[in-house]
Amino acid sequence: MRLRDELPVDHRLNQVYRVGAALCGLLLLVFGCLGFTDSLSSFGTQGQRIGGLATNDLLSAVSVAFGLLLIMAAAVGGNLASTVNIFVGILFVASGFVHLLLIGHDGNILDFGMSNVVFSFLMGLLIMTFGMYGRVSGGLPHDNPYWRRRHLEQPALEAASSRTHAGTAATDTDRTLECRDDHS
């Protein structure tokens, strides 16, 4: 079993994570660009606040880079966009945990505050959700394209089973009618 065989084929559902990730990328891109306009110091830990979030030039550069990555992945689409979204979402959540420990220490070179940590958690979970939409789920209906891609033999088995049940039901109906005719 190879991972690429388990990934869903490109389908119209990918529009959900493509558009969602592109919007998240655009938000990060705008945040990063606004951070650059204030010409802050690269590693300063007392930078400006933009949209309630603390920032410096390094955090602005990281935001621009990840914003562009999300936008480019959304433009490509397909499984690449989904995979990039999951990976970037995990990085955002991990960054939230790391920076939660670094608040108030000299190692906080991205100037994260508590609002940045909360934003990192929320953005990471949102981006991961866009990446996993329709791809990672329990109990997908059998008409879902992701379920069908993973169970190539199952639709044929279900069709054969339904034909068998239909034939059995017809035979049972015939027997019931014959019994009624005998008792009449």
Side-chain angles (χ1 to χ4, degrees):
M1 181 166 103
R2 293 181 302 206
L3 179 62
R4 72 172 185 213
D5 294 336
E6 297 299 316
L7 294 177
V9 294
D10 203 15
H11 189 264
R12 70 177 188 275
L13 291 175
N14 75 5
Q15 297 303 318
V16 173
Y17 54 79
R18 286 178 73 181
V19 171
L23 290 174
C24 290
L26 184 63
L27 178 69
L28 290 171
L29 190 61
V30 168
F31 173 76
C33 289
L34 288 174
F36 283 132
T37 60
D38 288 333
S39 58
L40 308 168
S41 65
S42 295
F43 298 104
T45 58
Q46 298 299 321
Q48 298 285 45
R49 297 187 74 71
I50 297 173
L53 302 173
T55 189
N56 60 17
D57 279 348
L58 185 58
L59 181 58
S60 295
V62 169
S63 297
V64 167
F66 277 102
L68 289 174
L69 176 66
L70 288 172
I71 291 170
M72 287 188 302
V76 171
N79 290 332
L80 175 72
S82 178
T83 303
V84 167
N85 291 344
I86 291 171
F87 182 71
V88 169
I90 289 170
L91 288 177
F92 266 77
V93 171
S95 171
F97 281 116
V98 167
H99 286 95
L100 185 61
L101 297 172
L102 292 177
I103 291 177
H105 292 88
D106 293 334
N108 188 7
I109 61 173
L110 293 179
D111 190 28
F112 261 54
M114 194 57 173
S115 59
N116 294 74
V117 170
V118 171
F119 177 81
S120 185
F121 285 145
L122 293 176
M123 183 64 82
L125 292 173
L126 183 64
I127 294 171
M128 273 194 298
T129 301
F130 289 138
M132 290 187 235
Y133 182 78
R135 182 175 183 172
V136 179
S137 177
L140 291 173
H142 292 202
D143 63 343
N144 183 295
Y146 296 108
W147 186 91
R148 286 181 184 215
R149 174 71 172 102
R150 293 181 187 134
H151 302 90
L152 295 175
E153 72 289 340
Q154 193 65 26
L157 292 173
E158 287 179 359
S161 176
S162 66
R163 283 192 302 264
T164 304
H165 289 298
T168 304
T171 305
D172 290 344
T173 304
D174 292 341
R175 286 186 194 150
T176 304
L177 291 175
E178 287 174 9
C179 290
R180 286 185 186 162
D181 289 340
D182 291 341
H183 295 294
S184 303

